[in-house]
Amino acid sequence: MTTAVARHLQTEPVTESDEQIAAYLDTALLPLVIASVVHITGDPSWLRGPIRPNRFVPNDFGGAFTEEEKAELVRSATAAIAAWRDAGCPAPAPLAPELVRELMDWLALEHHDDATAEMILEEMDLDGEDPRAIRIAPEAADHAAEYPVLVIGCGMGGLLAAIRLKQAGIPFSVVDKNTDVGGTWWLNTYPGARVDVASHYYSYSFEPNQVFTEYYARQPELHAYFRDHFDKHGIGEHVRWQTEVVRAAWDDAGGYWDVELRTGDGAVETLRVRAVISAAGTLHKPFIPDLPGLERFAGPVMHSAEWDSSVDLTGKKVALIGAGASGFQIGPAIVDRVAQLTVFQRSPQWMAPNPKYHDAVPEGAMWAARHLPCYSRWHRFMIMTQSSDKLLELVRMDPTWSDFPRTANAFSAERRKLFEAWIDTHVGDDPELKAKVTPQYPPAAKRMLQDNGSWLRCLKQPHVTLDTSSILQLEEGAVVTAEGRYEADVLVLATGFRANELLAPMEFVGRDGIPLSKVWDGKPTAYAGVTVAGFPNFFMIGGPGTGLAHAGSIVFAAECQMKYIGEALRQLVESGKTSIEPTEEAYERYVRELHAEMDTLMWGHESIANTWYKAPDGKIYILNPYGNVHYWRTTSTALPADHVLR
Ligand code: NAP
């Protein structure tokens, strides 16, 4: 067993009495407890008896056992864990691959095909081998010094790149316009900010967070996670804060990038590096709508991503413009302290019922994550398998479907029914409100929101008004719409981001002296979302064609991209060559196929209005139209034939 295996399987020793263990198991996720017991005992009979999970509802991995089944499982698992405790909690031996597959199927209630299983097992890394690390052959390790890399951004993607480069011994610097690590999770401090991908999947695969305190962690906890790993891996000494890239130019003769940096005090300097990894993020340039009279508004005006916590909202009249992902979290978080809340909603959003959305992880589940080997690994598995590629079918256009644009296909119609019923449970008694909050486009045509009812409960409060007409103008202390005039002390703009302005205002000039912004001309594209022909040694994390809009985790996607980048850097260092890039043919093929695939989905359909997914020309460049397995496979293999090393 490798040391890393031991690290993954190492948990805090169980010292509790049998009664205490049983009490903890009572609120742990029992299917995951059984998975851990299989690791502890190596005994497959746990999976072959009459008791097995009955079903899983979205975001709930309890297994829907009957009370009798639950009692029996708690009793038998307590006995197995107590025996393991009495033996001194030895590190479990790795399970046979067939048993792992059996466990996967037992937990998921379905069989995983080999490709899906391979992807999930890489992510879970039960063997502790960290398969996505950059591994440079020892005999070439000294050459790494000749390949300094610049990482742009120190959010989730930039920190990932930095950690991977550091582990590999490749010299690097990081620049970030902010003053702290975390990107989105540093900038977005608005009330109610929390992740809407299940927390236990929202951490690096090689640094899993076993103990998020909430199923959908809030901003401070997420920021703390990134800060902890920034410190743990010693990234601070490589970072220059408040420093932005202005321009970078590739020197083909020398095989390097000259990068022009502007520091916080306005000084400009040049850094010479062999490769650039941009992890600058997509959703960070606030979109401020051009509202007539906005400059006349006398009170504080805050964009969701530029929250001013010194503004006390207590007893204030607040105008909230925007009911997307951010507004949807802000409203319920401030409603109890404001005197009046007026929500200006241009389009309603679909909500996925998720009763656990604001819930704390119960004490028993926290205990299990800390003490039971692989419990958390299987928690990650459950989230992955539930947010699987099947959800992509929700947005696939069925050309024979007559109900479009209410729904896109049979699956979409089924989901619409479910989501409408959810809306009905909350506002069925108020037909006018129900009509206002029910979208007329298919589910998932725009990003779905996780919901536990808090948004609709907020809208129903007597001091809350939902205006769905158009905003005509702002006055010194009011918002005027086609329906009315609403006094306001504070204006909150939850109006989203300029998501399609990828890399801007940075400029990257490639081999032919042409800036990337010109090559793209408002239509950003990249091979595997990472590289561009004619721009050697230039890589992106979160590049065009990588945004996730159906299912999955952006952390997983970033790890796929970094694996591809790491492989490219490994090839450079080991070969002693100076540059790598995709061939023109491979780049164009990738882009052509991606657009053909995108055309089968409804995100870009002309009837889907007001979506940040679309570029000004109405087409979609920033999203990934493929499932996770396809994208993982592409970035894992990134064919040598598709690239040139010079
Ligand atoms: P968003 O989803 O784009 O929402 C912007 C809101 O502002 C929409 O309701 C939009 O209406 C409205 N709006 C824009 N311009 C307007 C105008 N001129 N007049 C009136 N209303 C206007 O932006 P966001 O809420 O910041 O979220 C963006 C993305 O960030 C999300 O989709 C998600 O990917 C991510 N995010 C995630 C989380 C999370 O993980 N929990 C939280 C926040 C954000 P229309 O819908 O009609 O355009």
Side-chain angles (χ1 to χ4, degrees):
M1 193 185 298
T2 65
T3 347
V5 171
R7 180 177 71 79
H8 271 305
L9 299 185
Q10 257 169 16
T11 40
E12 294 172 27
V14 174
T15 53
E16 290 77 5
S17 67
D18 292 16
E19 292 70 30
Q20 285 169 320
I21 295 171
Y24 281 131
L25 295 193
D26 201 43
T27 59
L29 294 167
L30 272 181
L32 311 185
V33 171
I34 301 306
S36 180
V37 169
V38 171
H39 280 274
I40 289 170
T41 61
D43 179 359
S45 66
W46 288 90
L47 309 178
R48 296 175 187 168
I51 306 181
R52 44 181 54 228
N54 293 307
R55 71 191 150 81
F56 291 102
V57 289
N59 305 302
D60 184 344
F61 309 126
F65 294 114
T66 63
E67 284 307 312
E68 293 74 37
E69 287 171 335
K70 200 176 155 193
E72 172 54 23
L73 286 178
V74 169
R75 191 198 57 72
S76 53
T78 300
I81 294 165
W84 180 63
R85 173 201 61 202
D86 296 343
C89 301
L95 296 183
E98 307 75 48
L99 184 51
V100 172
R101 289 294 294 269
E102 187 178 346
L103 185 45
M104 287 172 86
D105 295 353
W106 185 84
L107 278 171
L109 300 176
E110 65 179 9
H111 182 63
H112 289 80
D113 60 62
D114 288 349
T116 308
E118 202 189 326
M119 175 188 78
I120 290 178
L121 288 170
E122 180 189 285
E123 172 78 11
M124 289 174 70
D125 189 19
L126 288 170
D127 298 330
E129 286 172 351
D130 195 4
R132 298 185 189 137
I134 309 171
R135 290 194 167 79
I136 293 173
E139 59 277 16
D142 288 348
H143 300 165
E146 293 156 34
Y147 293 85
V149 178
L150 174 68
V151 178
I152 306 171
C154 201
M156 178 278 294
L159 177 60
L160 166 68
I163 294 173
R164 288 312 200 185
L165 293 169
K166 184 135 189 169
Q167 289 170 332
I170 298 174
F172 67 97
S173 324
V174 184
V175 292
D176 193 298
K177 66 182 167 66
N178 300 324
T179 54
D180 199 353
V181 62
T184 284
W185 298 111
W186 164 244
L187 290 169
N188 285 269
T189 59
Y190 62 78
R194 69 170 77 227
V195 67
D196 61 7
V197 170
S199 313
H200 295 81
Y201 188 18
Y202 204 87
S203 57
Y204 302 127
S205 63
F206 54 96
E207 289 287 10
N209 187 350
Q210 325 269 44
V211 286
F212 275 118
T213 60
E214 293 181 302
Y215 288 111
Y216 294 82
R218 280 182 266 196
Q219 179 268 340
E221 194 168 14
L222 289 162
H223 181 251
Y225 168 81
F226 291 112
R227 171 65 40 207
D228 286 351
H229 290 89
F230 175 86
D231 291 339
K232 176 178 169 185
H233 289 272
I235 303 304
E237 63 189 81
H238 301 266
V239 185
R240 297 172 60 175
W241 300 115
Q242 292 186 295
T243 300
E244 293 186 53
V245 169
V246 179
R247 183 177 186 277
W250 173 253
D251 183 310
D252 208 38
Y256 47 74
W257 284 94
D258 273 332
V259 187
E260 206 177 287
L261 302 174
R262 187 170 46 231
T263 57
D265 55 12
V268 174
E269 59 184 84
T270 302
L271 183 71
R272 180 163 288 182
V273 289
R274 187 71 76 184
V276 172
I277 301 174
S278 173
T282 317
L283 298 169
H284 64 102
K285 284 171 266 199
F287 169 69
I288 309 293
D290 191 12
L291 299 168
L294 183 55
E295 70 294 344
R296 284 210 304 271
F297 188 79
V301 179
M302 300 188 278
H303 185 273
S304 53
E306 293 171 343
W307 196 262
D308 180 353
S309 57
S310 70
V311 176
D312 183 5
L313 298 180
T314 313
K316 297 276 174 24
K317 293 174 186 158
V318 177
L320 171 62
I321 300 183
S326 304
F328 180 87
Q329 293 183 327
I330 293 170
I334 64 172
V335 67
D336 291 337
R337 65 185 130 120
V338 302
Q340 182 184 305
L341 176 65
T342 314
V343 179
F344 300 90
Q345 172 198 282
R346 192 166 62 179
S347 335
Q349 305 273 344
W350 282 115
M351 297 166 274
N354 185 347
K356 282 181 182 277
Y357 186 37
H358 289 178
D359 285 4
V361 177
E363 207 187 341
M366 296 281 282
W367 179 86
R370 285 205 173 90
H371 294 84
L372 302 183
C374 297
Y375 175 97
S376 301
R377 300 269 88 193
W378 288 103
H379 194 174
R380 200 170 181 105
F381 163 79
M382 289 306 292
I383 301 166
M384 261 191 112
T385 190
Q386 235 185 36
S387 65
S388 73
D389 291 347
K390 276 180 248 156
L391 293 176
L392 191 56
E393 296 317 308
L394 200 55
V395 292
R396 202 171 297 284
M397 299 284 300
D398 175 350
T400 65
W401 194 251
S402 59
D403 192 40
F404 191 79
R406 281 182 78 256
T407 56
N409 53 44
F411 183 23
S412 163
E414 182 199 305
R415 285 296 158 115
R416 183 178 178 110
K417 232 178 174 172
L418 189 86
F419 299 156
E420 278 188 351
W422 176 252
I423 294 175
D424 211 48
T425 26
H426 296 280
V427 294
D429 56 346
D430 185 342
E432 196 187 327
L433 182 57
K434 187 180 157 190
K436 283 180 171 178
V437 298
T438 305
Q440 291 313 314
Y441 54 83
K446 303 208 255 179
R447 197 176 150 101
M448 298 278 312
L449 305 176
Q450 300 295 317
D451 181 51
N452 63 353
S454 61
W455 174 246
L456 297 176
R457 277 196 298 275
C458 163
L459 295 183
K460 281 187 92 172
Q461 298 221 29
H463 64 302
V464 179
T465 306
L466 176 66
D467 186 311
T468 56
S469 70
S470 46
I471 297 172
L472 300 180
Q473 62 169 345
L474 277 102
E475 295 177 355
E476 200 178 328
V479 181
V480 182
T481 71
E483 269 178 7
R485 181 180 179 281
Y486 306 90
E487 287 182 4
D489 306 312
V490 180
L491 185 62
V492 174
L493 299 175
T495 43
F497 301 90
R498 296 175 348 246
N500 276 278
E501 297 175 17
L502 286 183
L503 301 181
M506 297 183 288
E507 195 59 274
F508 296 89
V509 181
R511 181 188 308 101
D512 300 329
I514 304 173
L516 185 53
S517 60
K518 263 227 165 91
V519 174
W520 280 353
D521 192 22
K523 306 172 176 59
T525 47
Y527 177 95
V530 179
T531 52
V532 182
F535 291 78
N537 297 1
F538 176 71
F539 307 97
M540 288 170 282
I541 292 178
T546 66
L548 290 175
H550 69 286
S553 154
I554 195 170
V555 184
F556 169 75
E559 285 196 30
C560 289
Q561 290 146 28
M562 192 56 212
K563 187 177 172 193
Y564 166 27
I565 296 168
E567 174 59 15
L569 293 174
R570 183 194 68 75
Q571 286 187 31
L572 277 182
V573 173
E574 290 185 1
S575 67
K577 306 263 185 182
T578 51
S579 77
I580 187 166
E581 66 187 287
T583 65
E584 195 77 43
E585 189 275 329
Y587 172 64
E588 282 172 7
R589 170 173 36 84
Y590 188 88
V591 170
R592 201 172 45 247
E593 289 175 0
L594 178 131
H595 287 162
E597 189 67 15
M598 189 65 83
D599 287 345
T600 69
L601 308 177
M602 67 178 166
W603 292 318
H605 193 275
E606 59 192 13
S607 69
I608 311 297
N610 296 334
T611 159
W612 60 262
Y613 296 167
K614 285 186 186 173
D617 69 357
K619 293 206 172 304
I620 300 213
Y621 300 101
I622 55 177
L623 298 186
N624 179 0
Y626 297 116
N628 291 307
V629 176
H630 182 287
Y631 188 66
W632 168 77
R633 177 73 72 208
T634 303
T635 45
S636 292
T637 52
L639 294 177
D642 284 356
H643 295 80
V644 274
L645 277 168
R646 289 196 173 87

